[in-house]
Amino acid sequence: MHRSAPFIRLCRTIGAKERLWITRFKLKQKGEIMGKIDFGGVIEEVITSEEFSLERAREVLKNEKITVLGYGVQGPGQALNLKDNGFSVIIGQQEGEDYWDKAVADGFVPGETLFPIEEAAKRGTMILYLLSDAGQVATWNRVKACLNKGDALYFSHGFSIVYKDQTGIIPPPTVDVIMVAPKGSGRTVRTNFLDGSGINSSFAVHQDFTGRAKERTLALGIAIGSGYLFSTTFEKEVYSDLTGERGVLMGCLAGVMEAQYELLRKHGHSPSEAFNETVEELTQSLIRLVAENGMDWMYANCSTTAQRGALDWKGRFRDAVAPVFEELYQKVVSGEETRIVIEANSAPDYRERLEKELAQIRNSEMWRAGAAVRALRPENRNKG
Ligand SMILES: NC(=O)c1ccc[n+]([C@@H]2O[C@H](COP(=O)([O-])OP(=O)(O)OC[C@H]3O[C@@H](n4cnc5c(N)ncnc54)[C@H](OP(=O)(O)O)[C@@H]3O)[C@@H](O)[C@H]2O)c1
């Protein structure tokens, strides 16, 4: 999109909030509908509570019975936000498990608002399928049998639908199949809601039986406390999500941190120094500047020595990891990654095995050094 020079100059001198306001204003002037936002020159549809209010969500969902299946990570985040926003919610969870007790501790009452999975699924008109992805595979035939004509089957990930050849999850044609996928942990879905912000979510409609699938989706997206909602497809969501978490968000992040920490240790730096230069400075200082105003802002607020070196090395790192990202994306698209996930997480002892792998990270020198560094933060030093 062409931008006039004065407009570009103006954008450079003002903050993000004002930029968003000006972009919306300009689009409105051009007759484009509200809710279309310019993301770096590409126009996308977004929905906030300005475009779709909580009151409207309440109106759209007023005759719905909302069932949340699963009380692991996303289940509690979304269910409690819905409840606090005034929606009545029931939970479906395997009885006798820790998560059942967690739902009771959070105020859900067995026989009233907390039921075994099938019982809860039968009672709902909107089924929020928030069991783990492997759990969805294991329970699908039982859940499918509980769906009625016109129900909405809701996912927070494109996994089960896109990889239907592996999951066997093919919903009947007489239900809406919709998705709201929060871009963060279920914990953050809840903590952001409680601190008055929200988490960004993508949304998609895979199957529109009732003709109301999109408004049902948006209503749920607002009702669970999304900051803003952006449009996607089930495929785009799952490809980007699986790539992101294996890549920059988790896998790549942990990998590059380990590589730098080990390099510094190999060359005689102390654990404290290696950890501070690798993790603590990032999480306590620099990434906060990136979150506030972007990467250029963070660079601009570091020394000119740091800027010069970072600008010179950025391209080398990008080029070094680009082929790994390409391989990752291809393995996501081919279904190799989901095959591994289903196999590993369907094993009866998957939680014990996972805990062993996480303990290895926790007990490594690097992350034990991290625990010591965190304990030394002034706000933690005086804690009992
Ligand atoms: N975690 C996140 O922050 C996050 C973020 C965005 C999207 N999502 C998506 O949200 C959905 C839920 O993810 P999650 O991370 O919240 O799941 P999770 O915590 O791994 O799921 C645990 C839930 O699934 C149940 N479960 C697992 N295996 C089961 C089985 N064989 N039979 C019956 N229940 C079973 C668990 O109950 P029991 O173990 O007691 O059986 C528990 O209720 C997934 O589609 C995920 O991709 C998650």
Side-chain angles (χ1 to χ4, degrees):
M1 177 190 281
H2 173 74
R3 289 260 180 261
S4 69
F7 180 69
I8 294 170
R9 271 200 302 278
L10 175 65
C11 286
R12 283 195 186 130
T13 58
I14 56 177
K17 212 169 152 192
E18 290 83 358
R19 276 205 295 273
L20 185 62
W21 184 85
I22 287 173
T23 308
R24 274 185 165 176
F25 178 73
K26 283 175 75 79
L27 290 169
K28 221 176 156 187
Q29 273 188 322
K30 284 167 63 186
E32 300 202 34
I33 58 159
M34 276 282 282
K36 299 247 178 185
I37 297 288
D38 178 346
F39 288 91
V42 179
I43 305 296
E44 292 186 39
E45 181 189 13
V46 305
I47 285 94
T48 69
S49 55
E50 277 180 42
E51 283 80 34
F52 202 106
S53 67
L54 189 55
E55 288 66 38
R56 183 161 164 209
R58 289 196 183 113
E59 182 58 30
V60 169
L61 302 179
K62 70 178 180 217
N63 296 322
E64 304 280 5
K65 296 191 184 94
I66 302 173
T67 286
V68 172
L69 295 183
Y71 210 72
V73 183
Q74 279 296 324
Q78 298 193 27
L80 293 172
N81 291 0
L82 282 162
K83 208 170 142 189
D84 287 356
N85 271 335
F87 297 90
S88 60
V89 178
I90 63 169
I91 305 295
Q93 169 58 44
Q94 291 200 107
E95 260 178 302
E97 300 286 344
D98 294 348
Y99 294 130
W100 176 278
D101 297 339
K102 190 170 149 200
V104 173
D106 285 348
F108 293 98
V109 180
E112 287 179 26
T113 52
L114 174 60
F115 298 93
I117 289 172
E118 280 149 284
E119 180 61 32
K122 275 185 207 148
R123 287 171 181 254
T125 57
M126 300 188 98
I127 313 300
L128 278 55
Y129 211 178
L130 298 180
L131 300 179
S132 68
D133 298 303
Q136 291 173 23
V137 176
T139 56
W140 172 240
N141 285 337
R142 292 188 280 136
V143 169
K144 185 180 172 188
C146 303
L147 296 175
N148 293 311
K149 192 173 168 183
D151 282 355
L153 181 62
Y154 162 109
F155 295 87
S156 280
H157 201 6
F159 191 119
S160 289
I161 294 292
V162 173
Y163 297 99
K164 60 180 187 305
D165 293 346
Q166 293 173 3
T167 64
I169 298 183
I170 303 170
T174 51
V175 300
D176 291 344
V177 181
I178 62 179
M179 175 176 71
V180 175
K183 296 294 117 189
S185 160
R187 272 186 70 84
T188 327
V189 169
R190 184 63 180 155
T191 52
N192 281 13
F193 177 85
L194 290 175
D195 74 21
S197 57
I199 196 149
N200 301 332
S201 308
S202 57
F203 74 92
V205 172
H206 174 72
Q207 186 168 289
D208 185 3
F209 171 73
T210 61
R212 296 179 51 238
K214 186 171 176 185
E215 67 169 2
R216 287 170 118 184
T217 311
L218 296 180
L220 269 180
I222 294 297
I224 65 162
S226 301
Y228 79 82
L229 290 147
F230 60 96
S231 168
T232 188
T233 63
F234 275 57
E235 267 187 354
K236 288 260 162 40
E237 191 282 334
V238 74
Y239 293 168
S240 59
D241 193 77
L242 294 179
T243 301
E245 65 203 9
R246 280 153 182 73
V248 169
L249 303 177
M250 294 170 69
C252 173
L253 177 71
V256 293
M257 283 177 168
E258 269 178 36
Q260 179 171 302
Y261 179 89
E262 283 165 14
L263 171 93
L264 292 174
R265 289 290 289 132
K266 189 176 85 179
H267 290 288
H269 298 265
S270 66
S272 175
E273 185 163 68
F275 193 86
N276 270 286
E277 288 295 347
T278 304
V279 180
E280 195 71 355
E281 187 173 336
L282 177 74
T283 61
Q284 299 306 296
S285 170
L286 302 188
I287 209 69
R288 294 179 181 181
L289 300 180
V290 177
E292 263 173 53
N293 271 315
M295 191 64 84
D296 59 318
W297 177 268
M298 185 267 269
Y299 274 37
N301 284 280
C302 290
S303 71
T304 48
T305 308
Q307 281 169 25
R308 184 66 268 136
L311 286 165
D312 291 345
W313 279 89
K314 180 173 84 64
R316 290 279 306 275
F317 281 111
R318 185 198 53 220
D319 295 348
V321 296
V324 184
F325 276 108
E326 185 59 41
E327 182 186 339
L328 165 60
Y329 193 80
Q330 294 312 327
K331 285 195 166 162
V332 166
V333 173
S334 73
E336 176 64 7
E337 287 300 312
T338 42
R339 188 194 61 71
I340 294 169
V341 169
I342 294 172
E343 194 178 303
N345 296 348
S346 300
D349 60 346
Y350 87 94
R351 280 209 223 168
E352 290 82 4
R353 285 202 216 173
L354 178 68
E355 176 46 32
K356 260 193 204 154
E357 286 184 72
L358 297 182
Q360 256 179 16
I361 298 179
R362 188 164 53 244
N363 296 327
S364 66
E365 181 201 275
M366 177 179 172
W367 289 103
R368 279 188 293 129
V373 172
R374 289 194 298 279
L376 279 170
R377 288 182 199 153
E379 69 273 23
N380 293 337
R381 240 181 277 151
N382 298 327
K383 280 188 192 161

